Amino acid sequence: MRNLSETQQMDYQLDKNGGDVNEIIAHVYKALKEKGYNPVNQIVGYILSGDPTYITGHNNARSLISKFERDELLEEIVSTYLKKTMRG
C-alpha cells in the first residue's frame, strides 16, 4: 500500500498512442467547431464525465481523443496554458 501523504508523480509522454496529445486536442477542437458545437464546453464535458458522446465523430475526432486517458488530456491542457501564461 502506498503512502497517501506523499505526492504522486505522473509522467505522460506525447506520442504514446500514435499521436501528439496537443495535435489531437486541436483536431477535436476543429471538428467540434465545424459541426457548430462550442468546443470548449464539449471537451470539458468529455473530460469531466468520460462520456464520449460529448465529442463528435466528425473527422474521426471521437476515435482520436479516446486514444488518450482523460487525465493525459487535462495534463496537456493545463501544461500548455501555464507555459503560455507564465512567460516572462
Side-chain angles (χ1 to χ4, degrees):
M1 180 173 276
R2 65 182 170 191
N3 183 348
L4 297 179
S5 66
E6 293 181 18
T7 302
Q8 294 185 56
Q9 186 172 4
M10 300 173 76
D11 185 25
Y12 292 107
Q13 299 298 317
L14 301 182
D15 206 17
K16 166 184 142 179
N17 294 306
D20 180 297
V21 178
N22 206 18
E23 289 175 8
I24 299 300
I25 293 169
H27 179 86
V28 169
Y29 182 95
K30 183 178 176 186
L32 287 163
K33 192 88 166 159
E34 287 175 0
K35 293 302 281 183
Y37 296 107
N38 179 320
V40 172
N41 289 348
Q42 296 304 112
I43 292 169
V44 168
Y46 171 70
I47 289 172
L48 291 177
S49 71
D51 184 351
T53 61
Y54 277 98
I55 306 300
T56 182
H58 178 64
N59 285 340
N60 207 27
R62 187 179 296 159
S63 176
L64 289 171
I65 203 167
S66 68
K67 290 181 178 184
F68 296 94
E69 297 293 328
R70 291 177 293 147
D71 57 337
E72 292 175 282
L73 300 171
L74 187 56
E75 181 180 356
E76 182 61 26
I77 291 166
V78 171
S79 175
T80 300
Y81 171 81
L82 291 174
K83 285 176 188 170
K84 288 183 180 181
T85 60
M86 302 305 275
R87 288 185 203 157

